[in-house]
Amino acid sequence: AEAHTLAHTDTSPTADHDLHTAAQDADRLVHAWHAASVAVTLGGRGALLSHGGTPLLVPSPVTADGDACGAGDRFAATAAGLLADGELVETAVRQAVHAATRYVAEGGVRSDAVDAGRAEPRAADRAPTGDALRTAARVRAAGGTVVAAGGCFDLLHAGHVALLQAARRTGDCLVVCVNSDASVRRRKGSGRPLVPEADRIRVLRALECVDAVAVFDEDTPERLLAELRPHIWAKGGDYALARLPEAALVESWGGQVVLFPYLDGRSTTGIAERAALTPGRAAR
């Protein structure tokens, strides 16, 4: 509505044509202000970015229900900070949409009031990990069951998805603990990961069965699990004959390790080897 007013458009915006109207308004403002680009926020739908001409729609990653008061400020502050750090406009707007969505999903102003008295997070903590800790705490406080699953998830395949779907059905939220790039290299060798950490996180968070993603740098996720304190720690059935190093820790607070059937023939290594041998590609 603010963009529409500033653009001095004659027509009134309607719910059925808000995207079309926003695109027109953004285009008008780019030219009227001689701006390189204009972003118009669309509430729960995300934001529209225009450089003049065909716009870019940046959708919200999830549907967030909650108090939206302050979400616009969170969007603007995040975008401004990223632009000041030299990020591309498209990247700044996309991350600003995600920040505003998380803000609303976590309770908006109420969550900021609760967090105000807490210590500042460690510099090494990643934003997705902070989201995961808050998600687990919220579900636990409501009396729900927190489920966690871990792995490298390098080249996500059907076996991974089957495990995560099964794990999610056993509780009220699923937090995926994923190895950082450095952790994967130590475990799998210098040629891994094939997919960088940021991309692996994004793919995992896009799965409907995944509620949050947390990253750990160590070889095994004990430190992260001690913070999450899940009721269930889910692993694939290929660990059936092994005593997991984190099992004793999970059991120490009354948690349980649960194994799920493993889909034969699905592995990142196998996929990578087949891809390397495809016609037109040199074998490694």
Side-chain angles (χ1 to χ4, degrees):
E2 293 163 339
H4 196 67
T5 300
L6 290 168
H8 302 294
T9 307
D10 294 333
T11 59
S12 299
T14 64
D16 293 336
H17 299 91
D18 56 346
L19 190 60
H20 180 68
T21 301
Q24 288 186 323
D25 294 340
D27 184 68
R28 281 175 174 260
L29 293 175
V30 166
H31 292 93
W33 292 342
H34 304 288
S37 55
V38 167
V40 178
T41 55
L42 303 171
R45 297 183 66 179
L48 184 142
L49 175 64
S50 175
H51 305 295
T54 304
L56 173 71
L57 179 62
V58 182
S60 298
V62 296
T63 300
D65 296 322
D67 186 356
C69 179
D73 294 330
R74 180 60 57 91
F75 174 93
T78 302
L82 290 166
L83 290 171
D85 289 339
E87 285 285 2
L88 296 173
V89 176
E90 290 82 356
T91 301
V93 171
R94 184 177 67 251
Q95 294 192 29
V97 167
H98 286 214
T101 302
R102 287 197 303 271
Y103 171 80
V104 174
E106 292 167 5
V109 174
R110 290 191 301 276
S111 66
D112 274 1
V114 170
D115 291 340
R118 296 179 182 171
E120 289 296 315
R122 296 183 297 273
D125 286 345
R126 295 170 172 84
T129 300
D131 292 343
L133 294 174
R134 286 188 288 272
T135 296
R138 184 167 60 248
V139 170
R140 188 181 296 105
T145 298
V146 177
V147 183
C152 299
F153 299 101
D154 193 15
L155 284 183
L156 193 73
H157 55 70
H160 293 141
V161 175
L163 167 65
L164 297 177
Q165 289 174 330
R168 179 61 177 83
R169 287 194 291 268
T170 65
D172 299 292
C173 79
L174 173 63
V175 176
V176 178
C177 303
V178 62
N179 298 68
S180 69
D181 287 349
S183 177
V184 175
R185 277 192 293 274
R186 288 194 303 270
R187 293 192 58 190
K188 305 290 187 178
S190 59
R192 301 281 295 274
L194 300 170
V195 179
E197 177 184 312
D199 289 354
R200 289 185 285 127
I201 292 171
R202 184 172 184 178
V203 171
L204 285 166
R205 293 179 78 177
L207 295 178
E208 186 177 2
C209 59
V210 175
D211 296 280
V213 178
V215 182
F216 62 95
D217 287 310
E218 301 81 8
D219 292 341
T220 54
E222 281 100 328
R223 184 187 66 80
L224 177 56
L225 286 173
E227 294 183 85
L228 286 170
R229 296 176 69 86
H231 299 90
I232 295 174
W233 175 235
K235 297 295 288 185
D238 51 330
Y239 286 93
L241 301 179
R243 174 67 175 174
L244 295 171
E246 60 269 24
L249 176 67
V250 173
E251 293 164 0
S252 70
W253 58 73
Q256 181 181 6
V257 177
V258 176
L259 300 178
F260 292 90
Y262 186 77
L263 291 180
D264 290 335
R266 278 80 166 184
S267 75
T268 296
T269 301
I271 294 172
E273 289 175 349
R274 288 195 297 275
L277 292 172
T278 3
R281 297 289 302 276
R284 288 184 292 181

